[in-house]
């Protein structure tokens, strides 16, 4: 009798919750003859039976709170890799993460075939320093297999006290055997924007993630670069940038555009339909931009790359991006936690969906590694080496040391970061073409 009463109470509670959440829409649907949103009594009955069986027969006692929270997690994780239930602790960590400081390893992750997939390591974090790469699949955390684990549980395991160690067993494309990587946890402080002068007239701006103040930080970085001389062009580096705050992506795009649509979202409910447009004033006054992307560029990075590409404001160079074009809305719950629910898709100004497609570069660059060629014992003979050669009559010849220093500088950049070197060369080429056209 008691068991039956508990069963009825549970059914009543679940039904009441559904009725409250739908706000009477079910009754309205029924009155109009639609059964699309009718309450699934049979499914709820099955759920209640399983719930009761676990409570009575499971090998160890399980609290109602755990069962219900796990049921919610399962319901959300079954939708897509990015929808999730966040308990109070996880919700607080998410809020802290968007401001630029949080604890952990420093990687943005998702789920793929039951394993944790690295979307991108964050710059200057333990994961990045340990050699974790975008695309790595984590199959074990210490000695615990990841298969069957929820993403939230895996993330919880990876987080911990600063100074503590964890061993990640990863599978990497092109490597036959799984790799074991030891990482020491730390407090992750992410500086979202870094900048420097590559060469006179050419700036470099690197965005590691999109935080609430990233748009302002980019404008400040450009201002600092301008103080060092006129900017003929800028490389905007979005490689291995896992994304972040939507408004920050809009602000960064707006900084380089004078007008037009930046991004729009579309979903089932009216609140999910949004449009974001640029405002006047391009901080570079039309100076050329090359945007570097790779497979670790996701979400907000793809919004920026897509907007600048569609407006033909920048040349996109590198690899095809990750393809995370879905919008997650954070819906706080009464217990202090939250539901992270996918509510819409992102679209570029031309109407392209980013989801599962990504942004294709205008200039593809494959993963390459340059090495110095073995130098010959004999250098090639040039005119300047011939006896009694004529001096250059138009200008003073460069000293031999100056020429070598210039060559070494270009050589060093090409060896350290080949795509960045190619982006710089492309900017130079654009300016040569512009100068030639104006001259003619």
């Amino acid at each position: 009798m008691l068991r039956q009463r508990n069963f009825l109470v549970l059914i009543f509670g679940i039904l009441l919750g559904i009725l409250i959440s739908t706000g009477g829409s079910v009754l309205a649907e029924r009155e109009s003859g639609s059964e699309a949103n009718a309450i699934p009594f049979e499914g709820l009955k099955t759920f209640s039976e399983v719930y009761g069986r676990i409570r009575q027969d499971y090998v160890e006692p399980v609290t109602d709170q755990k069962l219900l929270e796990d049921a919610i997690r399962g319901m959300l994780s079954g939708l897509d890799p990015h929808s999730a239930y966040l308990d109070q602790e996880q919700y607080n960590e998410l809020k802290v993460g968007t401001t630029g400081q949080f604890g952990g390893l420093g990687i943005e992750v998702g789920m793929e075939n039951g394993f944790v997939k690295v979307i991108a390591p964050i710059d200057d974090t333990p994961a990045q320093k340990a050699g974790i790469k975008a695309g790595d699949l984590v199959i074990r955390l210490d000695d615990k297999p990841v298969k069957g684990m929820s993403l939230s549980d895996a993330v919880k395991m990876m987080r911990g006290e600063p100074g503590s160690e964890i061993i990640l067993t990863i599978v990497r494309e092109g490597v036959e055997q799984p790799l074991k990587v030891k990482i020491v946890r730390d407090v992750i402080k992410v500086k979202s924007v870094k900048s420097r002068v590559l060469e006179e007239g050419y700036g470099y701006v690197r965005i590691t993630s999109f935080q609430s103040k990233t748009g302002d930080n980019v404008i400040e970085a450009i201002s600092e670069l301008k103080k060092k001389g006129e900017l003929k062009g800028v490389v905007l580096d979005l490689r291995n940038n896992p994304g972040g705050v939507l408004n920050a992506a809009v602000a960064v795009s707006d900084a380089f555009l004078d007008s037009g649509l930046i991004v729009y979202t579309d979903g089932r409910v009216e609140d999910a339909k949004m449009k974001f447009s640029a405002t006047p004033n391009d901080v570079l006054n039309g100076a050329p931009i090359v945007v570097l992307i790779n497979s670790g560029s996701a979400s907000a990075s793809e919004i920026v790359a897509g907007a600048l590409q569609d407006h033909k404001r920048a040349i996109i160079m590198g690899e095809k991006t990750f393809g995370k074009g879905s919008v997650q809305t954070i819906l706080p719950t009464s217990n202090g936690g939250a539901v992270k629910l996918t509510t819409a898709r992102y679209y570029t100004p031309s109407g392209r969906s980013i989801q599962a497609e990504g942004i294709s570069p205008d200039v593809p660059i494959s993963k390459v590694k340059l090495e110095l060629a073995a130098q010959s014992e004999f250098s090639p003979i040039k005119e300047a080496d011939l006896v009694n050669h004529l001096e250059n009559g138009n200008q003073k010849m460069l000293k031999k040391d100056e020429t070598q220093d210039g060559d070494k500088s270009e050589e060093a950049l090409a060896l350290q970061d080949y795509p960045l070197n190619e982006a710089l060369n492309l900017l130079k080429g654009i300016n040569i073409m512009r100068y030639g056209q104006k001259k003619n």
Side-chain angles (χ1 to χ4, degrees):
M1 190 69 181
L2 181 61
R3 181 178 173 186
Q4 184 179 9
R5 188 182 68 181
N6 287 341
F7 176 84
L8 291 174
V9 168
L10 181 60
I11 283 285
F12 176 79
I14 293 171
L15 293 180
L16 183 62
I18 291 178
L19 286 170
I20 291 172
S21 66
T22 56
S25 64
V26 172
L27 293 177
E29 289 284 347
R30 283 183 173 176
E31 287 174 4
S32 64
S34 171
E35 296 184 0
N37 288 334
I39 296 173
F41 285 102
E42 286 301 318
L44 290 172
K45 181 180 177 183
T46 302
F47 174 83
S48 300
E49 288 175 356
V50 173
Y51 185 94
R53 185 62 65 184
I54 293 172
R55 289 188 68 204
Q56 179 178 310
D57 297 343
Y58 187 64
V59 65
E60 294 176 351
V62 188
T63 64
D64 290 335
Q65 181 181 353
K66 176 172 171 53
L67 285 175
L68 290 171
E69 285 191 355
D70 286 349
I72 294 170
R73 284 193 176 93
M75 183 164 52
L76 287 162
S77 65
L79 297 174
D80 63 77
H82 307 292
S83 292
Y85 172 72
L86 308 174
D87 59 28
Q88 190 170 1
E89 182 183 351
Q90 292 167 332
Y91 182 34
N92 289 336
E93 287 178 354
L94 176 69
K95 288 188 287 187
V96 171
T98 59
T99 63
Q101 180 172 321
F102 54 94
L105 306 179
I107 48 176
E108 176 77 10
V109 294
M111 291 296 286
E112 183 174 287
N113 299 323
F115 296 110
V116 173
K117 182 174 183 177
V118 177
I119 296 174
I122 300 171
D123 285 0
D124 301 324
T125 62
Q128 193 253 354
K129 292 173 183 175
I132 298 296
K133 297 182 178 180
D136 286 347
L137 283 179
V138 181
I139 60 174
R140 281 182 175 271
L141 296 170
D142 284 332
D143 295 325
K144 193 167 184 178
V146 170
K147 191 75 171 177
M149 196 182 291
S150 69
L151 181 60
S152 59
D153 286 341
V155 169
K156 197 169 184 177
M157 273 198 71
M158 285 187 279
R159 290 177 177 170
E161 289 295 320
S164 60
E165 295 180 348
I166 186 171
I167 296 176
L168 271 58
T169 304
I170 61 173
V171 174
R172 180 173 295 166
E173 186 178 354
V175 179
E176 293 184 4
Q177 298 294 327
L179 303 172
K180 287 193 174 185
V181 182
K182 182 187 289 186
I183 307 178
V184 179
R185 297 181 180 94
D186 199 358
V187 174
I188 309 301
K189 296 180 181 178
V190 180
K191 184 179 179 183
S192 71
V193 178
K194 302 174 182 178
S195 62
R196 71 177 192 269
V197 174
L198 292 173
E199 284 187 16
E200 185 179 351
Y202 296 99
Y204 171 81
V205 177
R206 161 83 176 146
I207 304 178
T208 59
S209 64
F210 287 85
Q211 302 166 11
S212 54
K213 296 182 179 179
T214 298
D216 293 335
N217 293 339
V218 166
I219 294 172
E220 290 169 8
I222 296 293
S223 288
E224 289 300 315
L225 290 173
K226 284 181 176 179
K227 290 178 183 178
K228 298 173 183 176
E230 180 190 357
L231 280 177
K232 301 176 185 177
V234 166
V235 178
L236 182 62
D237 192 350
L238 301 179
R239 290 174 295 176
N240 293 327
N241 182 323
V245 181
L246 169 61
N247 288 341
V250 172
V252 170
S253 303
D254 190 10
F256 303 112
L257 296 171
D258 279 321
S259 62
L261 188 63
I262 291 174
V263 66
Y264 69 93
T265 64
D266 193 21
R268 290 174 61 197
V269 298
E270 200 59 35
D271 288 347
K273 303 176 191 296
M274 298 183 289
K275 288 186 177 182
F276 300 88
S277 297
T279 55
N281 296 324
D282 170 4
V283 293
L284 287 176
N285 298 317
I289 305 169
V290 174
V291 179
L292 285 175
I293 57 172
N294 65 4
S295 58
S297 306
S299 191
S301 298
E302 295 171 291
I303 290 172
V304 174
L308 298 182
Q309 186 179 52
D310 280 3
H311 283 284
K312 302 189 184 305
R313 180 62 187 89
I315 294 175
I316 313 301
M317 177 182 276
E319 307 167 22
K320 195 170 187 178
T321 59
F322 183 77
K324 183 188 178 295
S326 58
V327 182
Q328 281 69 49
T329 302
I330 305 299
L331 307 168
T333 55
S334 58
N335 65 351
V339 169
K340 185 169 72 167
L341 187 66
T342 300
T343 54
R345 290 182 175 87
Y346 290 122
Y347 294 86
T348 69
S350 65
R352 293 180 294 161
S353 173
I354 296 170
Q355 178 58 26
E357 286 295 327
I359 302 296
S360 296
D362 301 311
V363 182
I365 294 184
S366 303
K367 294 178 181 178
V368 295
K369 183 179 180 182
L370 297 185
E371 292 183 2
L372 282 172
Q375 293 187 353
S376 171
E377 185 178 346
F378 302 100
S379 300
I381 297 174
K382 299 180 181 179
E383 172 71 16
D385 298 319
L386 299 178
V387 177
N388 295 327
H389 67 269
L390 291 175
E391 295 295 330
N392 187 297
N394 294 324
Q395 60 182 15
K396 180 184 176 183
M397 292 187 66
L398 288 174
K399 294 179 181 179
K400 200 167 187 179
D401 290 343
E402 291 176 352
T403 306
Q404 288 177 346
D405 288 344
D407 292 343
K408 285 180 180 177
S409 176
E410 290 183 13
E411 185 180 86
L413 183 59
L415 289 172
Q416 292 170 6
D417 193 335
Y418 175 70
L420 178 55
N421 186 69
E422 291 300 290
L424 176 59
N425 287 335
L426 180 55
L427 284 175
K428 291 178 180 177
I430 293 171
N431 276 297
I432 290 171
M433 292 297 294
R434 279 186 165 190
Y435 175 76
Q437 289 172 354
K438 287 179 181 179
K439 193 173 181 180
N440 293 331

